[in-house]
Amino acid sequence: MFTEANKKRAVEIVAQYPKAHSAILPLAHLAQDQDGWLSLDAMDEIADYCDTTAADVQGVCSFYTMYKRRPCGNFVVSVCTNVTCLVVGGPEVLEHLEHKYANDNDVFVEEVECLAACGNAPSMQVNYEYHEHLTPESAEQVVEDYKAGRLVARGVSGGAVHA
Amino acid sequence: MSEAVETPARKEVRETLIVSRRVREFPDDAHTFERATSDGAYEIWKEVLRRADVQWIHDEVKASGLRGRGGANFPTAIKWESLPDNGLPRHLVINGDEGEPSTFKDRLLIEGDPHALIEGVCIEAYRIGSHRAFIYLRGEFALGADRIEQAVHDARAAGYVGSNILGSGFDVEIVVHRGAGAYICGEESALIESLEGKRGMPRIKPPLPIHVGLYSEPTVVNNVETVCTIPHILKMGGAQYANLGVNRSTGTRLAAISGHVNNPGVYELEFGMTLRDIIFGIAGGIRGDKQLKFFLPGGASFQWLIASDEHLDQVYDIDDISAKLGTTLGSGAIMVYDEDTDPLLVAWRLAKFYAHESCGKCTPCREGSGWLEKVLYRMSHGQGRPNDMDALLDISAGISPDVMKAPFTQTTICPLGPSPVSAIASLQKYFRAEVEAACAAGVPA
Amino acid sequence: MTTTEPQSTKTTVSVTIDGNTVEAIPGEMLIKVAQENGVYIPRFCWHERMKPVGMCRMCLVEVDGIRGLPPACTMPVAEGMVCHTETPAVKQAQDDILEFLLVNHPLDCPVCDRGGECPLQDTTLAFGPGESRFVEEKRHFEKPIPISNVVLLDRERCIQCARCTRFADEIAGDPLISFVDRGGHTQVLNHPNHPFASYFSGNVVQICPVGALTAKPYRFRARPWDLATVETSCTQCSVQCRGALQSSSNRLVRLLGIDSNAVNHGWLCDKGRYGFEYVHSDDRIREPLLNGAIASWPQALDAAADALRSARDLHGAESIGFIGGARGTNEDAYAWSRLAKGVLGTDNVDAQLGDGLPAELILGVERASIAECDSAAAIVLLAPDLKEALPVLHLRLRRAALDLRVPLIDFSCAPHGLSSEVTHALAAAPGEQGARAEQLVAAVNGASSDGVIAAAAATMKARAGTIVVVLGRANLAERSDATVQAVAALAQLPNVKFLSALRRGNVHGALEAGLAPGILPGRVTIEYRDAVAAKWSAIPEAPGLDTEAMLRAALEGKIKALVLIGADPIADFPDRALAEAAVRAVPTVIAIDGFHNESTQRAKVVLPATMFGEKSGTITNLEGRIQRVNQKVSPDGLAMDDWRIASELAFRLGHDFDLETVDEVTNELVSVAPALAGGSAQLFRSARDGVRIPVAQHHAEVQLRKGLGLTLDGPDGVSWEPIKVEAEITVESVPENGNTQDAFALLRWDGGSVRVDLPGRDAYALRLIGSVSLYDHGSAVSESPSLVGLRTVPKLLVAAADLQRLGVPNGTEVHVASANGAFNIVVQAIKGLQPGVAQLAAGSGNAANALIDAAAVVNDVRVETIR
Ligand SMILES: Cc1cc2nc3c(=O)[nH]c(=O)nc-3n(C[C@H](O)[C@H](O)[C@H](O)COP(=O)(O)O)c2cc1C
Ligand code: SF4
Ligand code: FES
């Protein structure tokens, strides 16, 4: 369920578009930032705002890889292994982090497609904040810095930076 | 296609900063309202409103020869001319989905110079008579979204965006819309579906978005770089802009150079340099004193080139490269690989990308890309089989009948389907022997 | 391109397909034009009744001047187009697409319901490659998962054609399934919190080109090669959709929709598709019963005849009543009509159960056809929720509104299936339809008005064409008077026609056959007695009683024998208290039925009747279209056709009907019924889309089928494609026996002069709407295993504002009371319901019937919290 503040925000978002259906993606980002993932119930709620069915919202949101349909902790770590990162150490960063955080419920490590940061590859994002020029060790350090609060994370959908 | 193109004059090996000047000059704060406006942002927008002359905008952009920087190279002014006059509202949609592998030039503008984008949006909206523009950013551009939203906010506060702008009676609202992780939403009709809150699956064409687009209304979709260029064209004059570049490739474009070069990054290049100039001059050559093995001159979707003189002497010209070498400058990405790179691995990773990003609508793309990926995975991971290369060619033929032909024959709704076939054709063309050797050495299952 | 003819005079374009030049309508898709000219282009995603998506790429062709291979299903034909469907490049592409489709397909054909009739199998045989070269691991999903009570989904078999998801969204308007995930992982799925609970879910099973969607009722019941098929019409409601009825080992196993442009576009609702199951229910009445004990047919018939004779002899013919007959065929109805009126001489006969409209109105207004809605100037809804009452008509009107942009003008004050498509909502409260209609008509005629009335009037005048009024009983909790008053007003509109929305299966056939007081067969009143005089020995002098009047007479002890022809007045008459007391008060009840119900419990004699699929004959739908139903299985137990039962009773009463076959009954009906003049059993059998009545006026529309049988093979005959029945000859002229001069005698409704005096409403009362629901508690639903779980649990629906005003929490149990009855029920707030009104479904235990006083103009209820 959206919080009262997010309910207000949701109404504002819907009002930006000529058709409420257009607000499905932004509302899914909003719900995911609030809950840390996109739950079945959130889809139901979004369907009401956007004048459609929950099946439709599920169909739409599942098309997009940023929406997580199970809880993934506070930190989404997205490591690029596409064709530039591939040849300069991206897969090694991924493997290291996957191994390191395999049992850490607060850190969700995923392999992603090109993040448009190839000039400084290998690259990753933590909650959609860029970190570039990585090595396996420096990448781990970045994640640890977030966990320790030395770096401030966005919402898990890359929503506004937390206060 | 195969029209004869005049051999262009060689250009000096240096950057020409037009759209990227502000962000390159003020890398730390070009995105702020203060810096941007003190550097001249919105001056042309004010001029447009003062002149109140739509035709002027049109004529200058037409004279400039500006072609879309999203990859399809379509002349921007001609697109405007196709807008139907049917009384329906018109929409302007900015394509900031930048998801093509190793393409990172729009991000520079989105994060670095949002006011330039907004100024371009306002002017283009004015030209086409649109009152609501959507900036569609790929979802992963969280910082970019923050910056653009802040910039819209500041511009609105200053009266450059909103209703009755600077007393002109003209209104335009700008909505920043974030995607959520789907490369195909860069394709304009998929992007429109996504903006309508749907799965980003490309539409059947015709009708084109310019006729039946967002909410079934006429819609202009333009790339970020394209839009950012418009104010500069008005400032310097279309003819002046057209003096830059070669042939029908006028002006400059942002090239994103990555891979095994000494100086990867985004460079603003006047059309007309050679690829050798770009890789070895601009990007500083291959790092670690290695040899160049192959490179992708226009993003991930088109055929590759190798370290031959023919390829390296090719001029950076949209039509010339396609006529001579059957590839394109696509999204402006140049990916460079050194002598140690396994082309099979790159081909596999590209196939994996296309399989992951296929929207799933067309059978050949949905099933073919996955199949290619599975075979290439084996091949690039030591489990190749002797006839695998032929299998790849066969599967490719099912996706795009004339595998080796460029541009590809399309049996799918959008060009994503045949894109992985470019990599297979490139393997066949340049690396067949190497691939066969690798597969022969592999463990047959 | 140079054309000699000016473009404007030519309405078709010339297209060359594989060397043959044909004429086609511009803009039609190439795949369809080719098919209509005998060239079958293989396809999976394209379906003629849905918008093209071009997903499967199976239909790739070559078109001169176009690069690559465009899909024929998204390629509109244009003048001079030259297309090739059999070139090596096309063949290669077909091979490739099929190979791709099989890459992730499980090939579990031996255990698949579709095995043997699978389009993917068939297309692979006809167009596909040999072996697959795919040696990698296939995609895996959990094997069949239920997505609703009746539909199972096997995602491994799915080939992502989007037919099901498009049907659910575009056609049914129930987007409860959609594609989930992306690319090679794409699957069809419902949202886990919401099953695919669509009234139309069975259609997705029919149009799925593989075995991904299967129907629980049919799963593993039969293999296609064991099936025998007849063409028939569904009798669950008065739309009477065309269908192909299939059996295996003398059991009905499946009903498929047949594409009839006139009627159903190939769709069926789930009640129609699965409701045949009740035919084989264990609860069927299989033997005649006398005083509750099994009896022989002669014993039971003798007892029934004796009761009828003695009632007539001792108390006069008017002491006998007949209620029902809307569930049988026209032949059944005719035989009952002849027995009641022509043998016994009673006119107390009514096929309606007090839940319809006066027969002379339904028979006497100018009738519209279903297809006329597609091009109407406007459609006026003066009817119950069509999604609940007449589901496939609902689909047709939804399409008219959404795709064909026909404006809808709605009288309803309650939300319904088409609410979101309504152009002008007149929102007439119970009892106020007449006044509202009069305002509307005045506005159309130029009287000044404002607001929605003015807007609706402007819309009606803005478009050329017929105004179609869909006419039914929207509210069982008010007398029909306000509706009659509204019809009288609307009949004054120019170019107006009426489409009846009475819902019982063959109610229109029954009324046309004379099962209504004052009516004789063939849309005439009893004054027009000459036609039947030759066959019938007695004809009532004056109009008799309708169902309500019969029930009141029964209460007064005036009805001595009551014949229930497939009718259960206790459950179905809107006023339960009246019906229950009345049925109890009748000394002898004779019931002809397939199942026991509350009313048959009171019967002295119960005679088992044949049901759907067990008998043949003709039926008449709501637009007056006569179509065939055909027998597929032999009757269960000792059940007999109604018309035979009626003949047997007549014989025992001294009248030999001399009818041996059902065709003889049809022909006798035709010979006495002016509206059927020009028809014949032979014509009704061979007319592909049936024949509308008056037959003489509709001869030109008749298309004769090529063969009488229906085969379901061949590329365009398999079930997943719109099943079409080939037809050729058009009957131009009225045949010799056409009795056209009788047409003058056809009943014309005179408009009546009903005025409704509405009682005032007190602030604490809510005015009741008694509504219908598709999954009611009738035997078709209750006795069909696939449907019984779907029966609606009635709730009292109220506007949120009223709940607040009355201080009743949403979702709680409340006490609802009227002058007639009271009970506890859960109350629910719904959007779109007019304040001051409460809606409750009729037709089951604690339902509207228990609150309604049939004599009241409107019924008010009070709602109180329970403490
Ligand atoms: C698969 C695919 C992906 C694309 N991605 C992008 C993209 O990320 N950004 C972009 O500007 N154009 C992209 N395009 C091109 C757009 O469809 C469209 O041509 C462009 O936005 C038009 O703008 P322009 O005329 O300014 O180039 C893509 C096209 C395809 C087929
Ligand atoms: S080619 Fe691929 S990405 Fe493009 S529409 Fe078809 S399935 Fe989707
Ligand atoms: S039938 Fe044409 S693409 Fe599927």
Side-chain angles (χ1 to χ4, degrees):
Chain A
M1 288 290 285
F2 281 131
T3 59
E4 286 308 314
N6 279 341
K7 279 185 184 151
K8 264 180 68 188
R9 180 80 196 107
V11 172
E12 285 165 19
I13 289 173
V14 171
Q16 286 189 314
Y17 297 93
K19 296 202 173 145
H21 201 268
S22 283
I24 292 181
L25 266 61
L27 292 192
H29 280 308
L30 186 69
Q32 181 157 310
D33 272 339
Q34 176 184 299
D35 301 337
W37 63 300
L38 189 60
S39 65
L40 292 174
D41 292 342
M43 294 176 194
D44 250 327
E45 199 178 358
I46 292 168
D48 282 344
Y49 281 97
C50 300
D51 229 353
T52 185
T53 59
D56 180 31
V57 174
Q58 171 183 260
V60 170
C61 292
S62 64
F63 186 87
Y64 301 90
T65 52
M66 281 174 70
Y67 299 126
K68 307 291 185 252
R69 281 176 291 150
R70 53 185 69 86
C72 54
N74 274 317
F75 303 105
V76 174
V77 179
S78 315
V79 184
C80 174
T81 59
N82 208 305
V83 288
T84 295
C85 289
L86 175 75
V87 296
V88 295
E92 290 75 13
V93 172
L94 175 69
E95 198 184 339
H96 180 77
L97 295 182
E98 276 181 343
H99 190 254
K100 166 84 190 171
Y101 297 106
N103 298 314
D104 187 333
N105 287 335
D106 217 21
V107 179
F108 175 79
V109 180
E110 60 175 358
E111 177 182 20
V112 295
E113 299 300 350
C114 181
L115 288 169
C118 325
N120 302 320
S123 315
M124 70 174 186
Q125 291 183 323
V126 177
N127 291 6
Y128 303 98
E129 193 78 57
Y130 280 102
H131 298 279
E132 307 179 353
H133 276 315
L134 297 168
T135 62
E137 295 69 35
S138 70
E140 180 185 334
Q141 189 55 50
V142 169
V143 177
E144 291 302 316
D145 285 348
Y146 278 106
K147 290 186 70 175
R150 290 185 292 270
L151 283 172
V152 180
R154 295 171 176 274
V156 293
S157 262
V161 180
H162 293 313
Chain B
M1 259 137 270
S2 48
E3 298 160 34
V5 184
E6 208 182 300
T7 308
R10 178 97 180 254
K11 295 281 173 184
E12 256 183 84
V13 185
R14 58 167 173 79
E15 283 193 80
T16 306
L17 299 186
I18 297 175
V19 280
S20 63
R21 183 197 55 79
R22 186 180 299 145
V23 57
R24 293 288 289 277
E25 223 162 272
F26 309 103
D28 295 333
D29 63 355
H31 64 276
T32 62
F33 184 76
E34 295 70 28
R35 170 61 74 192
T37 45
S38 67
D39 186 54
Y42 301 107
E43 290 306 321
I44 292 294
W45 178 217
K46 287 191 240 170
E47 172 71 10
V48 164
L49 292 173
R50 202 173 312 122
R51 290 201 191 204
D53 183 357
V54 167
Q55 195 59 41
W56 170 63
I57 306 173
H58 189 90
D59 292 345
E60 293 300 328
V61 172
K62 190 160 185 181
S64 77
L66 176 67
R67 294 163 78 179
R69 302 296 191 231
N73 306 310
F74 196 81
T76 305
I78 307 291
K79 201 184 273 192
W80 294 339
E81 285 171 10
S82 321
L83 273 168
D85 249 325
N86 52 11
L88 292 173
R90 293 168 169 186
H91 302 285
L92 174 60
V93 175
I94 309 309
N95 190 340
D97 193 53
E98 189 160 67
E100 176 95 357
S102 301
T103 309
F104 49 101
K105 48 109 188 168
D106 291 336
R107 185 181 148 213
L108 180 80
L109 299 173
I110 291 164
E111 289 178 359
D113 198 358
H115 289 287
L117 179 59
I118 291 167
E119 185 171 14
V121 168
C122 291
I123 294 169
E124 189 169 6
Y126 190 82
R127 159 61 190 90
I128 68 170
S130 167
H131 302 292
R132 198 188 312 244
F134 296 89
I135 301 180
Y136 188 104
L137 298 179
R138 68 177 286 190
E140 295 88 341
F141 284 171
L143 177 65
D146 278 359
R147 294 237 170 121
I148 297 207
E149 261 165 14
Q150 182 65 46
V152 171
H153 179 266
D154 293 345
R156 187 184 288 114
Y160 297 135
V161 171
S163 51
N164 189 19
I165 297 169
L166 304 179
S168 65
F170 182 73
D171 311 330
V172 65
E173 279 305 330
I174 299 180
V175 178
V176 180
H177 186 95
R178 286 177 64 206
Y183 161 67
I184 189 58
C185 292
E187 194 279 339
E188 54 185 2
S189 66
L191 186 150
I192 287 171
E193 289 281 293
S194 183
L195 250 180
E196 290 183 1
K198 300 180 188 156
R199 297 165 60 83
M201 298 169 104
R203 295 178 179 174
I204 292 163
K205 282 166 251 177
L208 293 168
I210 193 88
H211 297 119
V212 182
L214 185 61
Y215 310 123
S216 301
E217 288 153 0
T219 302
V220 174
V221 181
N222 270 133
N223 170 262
V224 166
E225 183 187 344
T226 315
V227 182
C228 288
T229 306
I230 293 171
H232 296 284
I233 289 170
L234 297 187
K235 193 175 338 176
M236 67 199 280
Q240 190 65 29
Y241 186 85
N243 277 339
L244 296 171
V246 281
N247 301 321
R248 289 182 55 240
S249 301
T250 57
T252 62
R253 87 161 297 178
L254 296 179
I257 311 178
S258 67
H260 294 132
V261 288
N262 279 310
N263 306 317
V266 178
Y267 298 94
E268 185 164 2
L269 306 178
E270 189 185 342
F271 285 102
M273 268 174 245
T274 65
L275 294 171
R276 188 191 309 277
D277 294 341
I278 296 172
I279 295 172
F280 291 93
I282 299 283
I286 308 302
R287 70 187 200 188
D289 286 328
K290 294 278 173 62
Q291 295 296 307
L292 170 66
K293 185 168 181 179
F294 64 100
F295 61 102
L296 280 62
S301 307
F302 305 100
Q303 288 192 13
W304 308 355
L305 298 177
I306 53 170
S308 69
D309 284 343
E310 185 197 5
H311 291 181
L312 288 171
D313 290 336
Q314 170 61 43
V315 169
Y316 202 67
D317 172 328
I318 297 165
D319 309 292
D320 193 49
I321 193 170
S322 130
K324 294 204 177 113
L325 302 182
T327 187
T328 84
L329 301 183
S331 65
I334 302 176
M335 295 105 102
V336 181
Y337 297 99
D338 70 12
E339 58 191 285
D340 297 337
T341 313
D342 177 4
L344 264 177
L345 194 70
V346 174
W348 161 67
R349 191 60 187 79
L350 287 175
K352 182 176 170 184
F353 169 77
Y354 288 112
H356 187 251
E357 299 300 335
S358 165
C359 82
K361 203 169 182 183
C362 314
T363 303
C365 173
R366 180 183 69 242
E367 305 294 346
S369 59
W371 191 356
L372 285 177
E373 189 272 326
K374 284 177 172 147
V375 176
L376 277 164
Y377 177 83
R378 282 197 291 96
M379 294 170 76
S380 57
H381 288 72
Q383 293 156 33
R385 299 173 192 188
N387 57 356
D388 272 349
M389 189 63 219
D390 290 330
L392 290 180
L393 291 167
D394 270 359
I395 301 165
S396 297
I399 305 174
S400 180
D402 306 297
V403 178
M404 305 305 293
K405 205 159 108 189
F408 33 63
T409 318
Q410 204 169 311
T411 61
T412 49
I413 293 175
C414 89
L416 189 147
S419 291
V421 171
S422 300
I424 309 299
S426 306
L427 285 182
Q428 165 75 3
K429 236 186 206 165
Y430 308 119
F431 302 111
R432 169 117 201 170
E434 185 180 338
V435 168
E436 276 180 351
C439 291
V443 203
Chain C
M1 178 172 38
T2 53
T3 43
T4 43
E5 291 169 85
Q7 253 351 95
S8 56
T9 59
K10 200 175 168 214
T11 56
T12 60
V13 290
S14 303
V15 183
T16 306
I17 302 170
D18 295 339
N20 295 321
T21 302
V22 300
E23 292 298 306
I25 299 164
E28 283 259 41
M29 294 304 162
L30 180 55
I31 195 169
K32 183 167 183 201
V33 172
Q35 175 161 324
E36 277 163 4
N37 290 285
V39 176
Y40 183 85
I41 300 170
R43 78 293 297 265
F44 291 112
C45 64
W46 184 70
H47 186 284
E48 202 181 317
R49 296 289 182 190
M50 299 195 280
K51 295 187 193 97
V53 273
M55 289 189 74
C56 72
R57 317 307 280 179
M58 191 63 218
C59 66
L60 300 178
V61 292
E62 283 192 86
V63 175
D64 287 1
I66 294 182
R67 231 175 83 82
L69 300 168
C73 73
T74 62
M75 171 69 52
V77 292
E79 179 59 39
M81 183 182 271
V82 178
C83 131
H84 314 273
T85 75
E86 296 197 301
T87 62
V90 170
K91 286 281 169 208
Q92 182 62 46
Q94 291 171 347
D95 276 6
D96 290 334
I97 299 295
L98 279 166
E99 186 174 22
F100 284 139
L101 286 174
L102 294 175
V103 157
N104 277 307
H105 192 77
L107 299 175
D108 55 352
C109 314
V111 294
C112 178
D113 267 348
R114 272 284 192 200
E117 56 168 12
C118 174
L120 182 59
Q121 249 177 5
D122 296 346
T123 313
T124 306
L125 270 182
F127 300 93
E131 288 277 286
S132 170
R133 294 160 297 177
F134 184 79
V135 293
E136 327 294 327
E137 177 76 10
K138 288 183 190 264
R139 174 175 62 226
H140 287 298
F141 285 113
E142 190 187 330
K143 276 306 218 180
I145 51 168
I147 56 170
S148 77
N149 281 339
V150 284
V151 182
L152 291 160
L153 168 66
D154 183 329
R155 290 161 296 174
E156 289 186 346
R157 292 180 186 154
C158 171
I159 58 166
Q160 282 89 16
C161 67
R163 280 180 162 212
C164 58
T165 51
R166 281 182 290 148
F167 173 85
D169 184 16
E170 275 176 35
I171 308 288
D174 296 324
L176 297 169
I177 45 174
S178 79
F179 276 144
V180 164
D181 297 330
R182 187 170 80 198
H185 301 282
T186 307
Q187 50 174 318
V188 169
L189 213 58
N190 61 307
H191 184 277
N193 296 358
H194 306 274
F196 179 40
S198 169
Y199 287 170
F200 306 100
S201 73
N203 293 295
V204 304
V205 176
Q206 180 168 342
I207 63 178
C208 175
V210 288
L213 290 159
T214 45
K216 270 193 216 170
Y218 176 69
R219 258 173 88 75
F220 307 127
R221 283 288 160 75
R223 302 297 282 176
W225 45 87
D226 296 332
L227 294 178
T229 305
V230 290
E231 191 186 342
T232 193
S233 309
C234 174
T235 56
Q236 294 287 2
C237 83
S238 60
V239 177
Q240 298 176 353
C241 297
R242 301 302 290 158
L245 182 61
Q246 301 183 310
S247 69
S248 172
S249 318
N250 203 39
R251 281 181 83 84
L252 302 176
V253 293
R254 184 162 71 171
L255 182 66
L256 295 168
I258 289 181
D259 192 294
S260 156
N261 195 42
V263 179
N264 62 320
H265 285 182
W267 313 127
L268 297 176
C269 73
D270 286 1
K271 185 174 177 183
R273 188 178 295 270
Y274 303 119
F276 68 79
E277 286 179 355
Y278 79 148
V279 171
H280 301 305
S281 161
D282 289 343
D283 298 337
R284 269 293 288 278
I285 304 175
R286 293 187 165 74
E287 283 107 1
L289 300 171
L290 186 54
N291 296 320
I294 293 177
S296 71
W297 267 110
Q299 286 172 324
L301 288 167
D302 285 349
D306 284 349
L308 292 171
R309 186 184 307 108
S310 70
R312 181 192 60 192
D313 294 350
L314 292 175
H315 305 282
E318 37 329 318
S319 72
I320 301 174
F322 283 73
I323 295 178
R327 286 192 194 147
T329 60
N330 293 341
E331 290 72 22
D332 294 337
Y334 173 72
W336 288 118
S337 178
R338 185 172 168 192
L339 174 73
K341 301 189 178 184
V343 172
L344 292 164
T346 177
D347 197 52
N348 299 338
V349 175
D350 198 351
Q352 301 193 73
L353 289 159
D355 53 355
L357 292 167
E360 45 318 332
L361 183 155
I362 289 295
L363 297 178
V365 289
E366 173 91 11
R367 265 322 168 90
S369 68
I370 293 175
E372 269 172 291
C373 297
D374 296 349
S375 57
I379 297 172
V380 178
L381 298 174
L382 184 63
D385 185 345
L386 297 175
K387 195 171 185 177
E388 304 288 346
L390 302 163
V392 174
L393 180 65
H394 161 82
L395 295 187
R396 186 74 170 236
L397 298 191
R398 185 171 182 274
R399 172 175 174 271
L402 275 175
D403 293 353
L404 308 174
R405 311 233 144 257
V406 178
L408 297 187
I409 295 165
D410 182 22
F411 275 86
S412 176
C413 66
H416 54 80
L418 288 168
S419 292
S420 48
E421 271 63 69
V422 163
T423 322
H424 303 290
L426 305 185
E432 291 172 11
Q433 303 89 315
R436 232 38 197 140
E438 282 165 5
Q439 289 170 350
L440 177 66
V441 172
V444 172
N445 291 337
S448 74
S449 63
D450 52 15
V452 64
I453 292 278
T459 298
M460 290 168 102
K461 288 199 282 194
R463 285 167 54 105
T466 309
I467 291 170
V468 177
V469 179
V470 183
L471 168 62
R473 182 81 173 272
N475 178 10
L476 299 176
E478 65 177 73
R479 298 193 61 85
S480 62
D481 300 356
T483 307
V484 174
Q485 186 189 347
V487 176
L490 294 169
Q492 310 301 313
L493 289 169
N495 276 331
V496 70
K497 288 186 181 177
F498 294 84
L499 186 62
S500 169
L502 300 185
R503 74 165 181 154
R504 274 175 219 287
N506 194 33
V507 63
H508 299 92
L511 298 179
E512 300 273 2
L515 288 186
I519 304 290
L520 288 178
R523 215 175 264 188
V524 290
T525 61
I526 52 173
E527 283 96 69
Y528 190 81
R529 51 190 57 233
D530 298 358
V532 291
K535 296 274 179 196
W536 294 19
S537 49
I539 302 165
E541 288 302 321
L545 309 176
D546 66 7
T547 293
E548 183 183 345
M550 273 188 264
L551 295 175
R552 293 197 192 286
L555 263 189
E556 292 167 16
K558 292 182 186 155
I559 299 290
K560 302 300 180 189
L562 180 63
V563 183
L564 299 178
I565 315 164
D568 179 7
I570 297 181
D572 289 346
F573 186 75
D575 179 340
R576 184 183 170 90
L578 170 59
E580 203 166 355
V583 173
R584 270 181 219 291
V586 176
T588 307
V589 174
I590 298 164
I592 296 88
D593 217 316
F595 292 96
H596 283 296
N597 57 45
E598 288 182 79
S599 305
T600 62
Q601 306 297 350
R602 291 270 310 122
K604 175 185 170 71
V605 186
V606 179
L607 304 173
T610 49
M611 304 180 68
F612 179 72
E614 296 176 333
K615 62 177 168 192
S616 297
T618 64
I619 55 176
T620 305
N621 82 350
L622 47 74
E623 50 176 351
R625 184 177 303 279
I626 301 181
Q627 305 184 110
R628 285 279 299 182
V629 284
N630 284 311
Q631 181 177 353
K632 188 67 219 69
V633 291
S634 49
D636 213 345
L638 302 179
M640 213 194 286
D641 289 353
D642 277 48
W643 66 268
R644 278 192 198 279
I645 299 174
S647 308
E648 289 290 341
L649 290 172
F651 190 73
R652 282 166 171 74
L653 292 166
H655 292 260
D656 185 355
F657 280 1
D658 192 21
L659 295 169
E660 293 300 326
T661 65
V662 73
D663 280 0
E664 285 177 25
V665 189
T666 316
N667 287 335
E668 180 172 315
L669 171 60
V670 168
S671 73
V672 302
L676 269 58
S680 68
Q682 177 59 31
L683 181 70
F684 300 146
R685 243 177 219 287
S686 49
R688 182 190 59 186
D689 295 325
V691 186
R692 282 185 69 209
I693 48 180
V695 174
Q697 285 174 23
H698 293 282
H699 253 281
E701 296 165 10
V702 174
Q703 298 230 314
L704 295 187
R705 63 181 62 244
K706 275 187 176 161
L708 286 186
L710 180 74
T711 48
L712 289 183
D713 42 49
D716 45 5
V718 286
S719 61
W720 69 300
E721 295 271 35
I723 302 174
K724 296 247 169 101
V725 180
E726 296 265 293
E728 45 189 5
I729 315 157
T730 304
V731 181
E732 296 285 356
S733 58
V734 183
E736 292 302 304
N737 69 340
N739 191 358
T740 38
Q741 72 267 34
D742 283 336
F744 74 90
L746 295 184
L747 182 55
R748 292 232 144 254
W749 185 58
D750 65 5
S753 56
V754 193
R755 303 235 52 99
V756 177
D757 276 327
L758 275 183
R761 216 186 316 186
D762 89 59
Y764 294 98
L766 297 173
R767 200 141 273 181
L768 187 63
I769 296 179
S771 59
V772 292
S773 46
L774 185 65
Y775 297 133
D776 57 16
H777 288 238
S779 44
V781 177
S782 301
E783 301 291 345
S784 292
S786 304
L787 300 178
V788 64
L790 300 171
R791 285 190 307 197
T792 9
V793 180
K795 286 182 184 162
L796 188 71
L797 307 175
V798 180
D802 281 330
L803 277 190
Q804 220 159 27
R805 190 169 58 87
L806 299 171
V808 177
N810 190 16
T812 56
E813 201 172 42
V814 294
H815 184 74
V816 59
S818 72
N820 244 32
F823 49 80
N824 292 350
I825 189 168
V826 173
V827 71
Q828 191 187 325
I830 53 162
K831 281 186 206 156
L833 185 65
Q834 196 175 73
V837 172
Q839 184 180 331
L840 180 59
S844 63
N846 275 351
N849 316 44
L851 299 173
I852 296 170
D853 172 3
V857 177
V858 288
N859 282 269
D860 290 347
V861 296
R862 280 170 172 266
V863 177
E864 286 159 10
T865 47
I866 306 168
R867 54 195 92 238

